[in-house]
Amino acid sequence: MKWRCTVCGYVHDGDRPPEKCPKCGAPQDKFEQLDDEAAGKIERSRFTNDLLARLIVLTREMAEIAEKGIKDELDPPCVGVFRQAARAAVEVGQAARAEIAVHVGRGKWG
Ligand SMILES: [Zn+2]
């Protein structure tokens, strides 16, 4: 079962709502139980947000590898590939962070 704090939107997983909201301190009676559809949407959002977060971690690793490759400077074509990787890492990382921010703003983080 999922319970949402009607004050701040915090979502609690459990048989009962918490004594008070860990996020805003609202009392237990401010929680409402979510129906199966709403709970399912939150699970879906959590899954997607987790994928986006993992993608951000990978873009950091990609940026590090690209930086090493650019410094290594074996030959111009190789440097070109690493520069391309560095740009892609920044682009994908920023897009993923922006998407998570949109989800959080809409209360889709869960
Ligand atoms: Zn709250």
Side-chain angles (χ1 to χ4, degrees):
M1 271 182 267
K2 291 190 193 306
W3 307 82
R4 189 197 304 273
C5 173
T6 56
V7 177
C8 74
Y10 170 81
V11 175
H12 174 81
D13 292 88
D15 294 336
R16 285 180 297 152
E19 292 290 312
K20 65 176 191 174
C21 178
K23 191 175 166 195
C24 74
Q28 193 172 46
D29 63 7
K30 292 291 181 188
F31 277 81
E32 62 180 13
Q33 191 182 340
L34 296 179
D35 61 26
D36 287 348
E37 195 191 338
K41 276 183 187 166
I42 286 171
E43 286 300 328
R44 280 282 296 116
S45 294
R46 283 178 179 172
F47 179 71
T48 302
N49 287 333
D50 180 58
L51 292 179
L52 289 167
R54 287 165 58 193
L55 204 52
I56 289 167
V57 170
L58 284 177
T59 61
R60 286 200 190 112
E61 194 181 342
M62 190 164 153
E64 282 172 27
I65 291 168
E67 196 184 329
K68 283 179 188 164
I70 291 165
K71 277 187 189 153
D72 182 47
E73 217 179 348
L74 178 67
D75 55 43
C78 284
V79 172
V81 171
F82 290 123
R83 286 196 194 287
Q84 191 181 353
R87 284 193 299 271
V90 169
E91 197 177 305
V92 172
Q94 284 175 347
R97 273 186 277 276
E99 196 53 30
I100 287 175
V102 168
H103 290 179
V104 171
R106 284 192 200 139
K108 283 175 99 176
W109 186 269

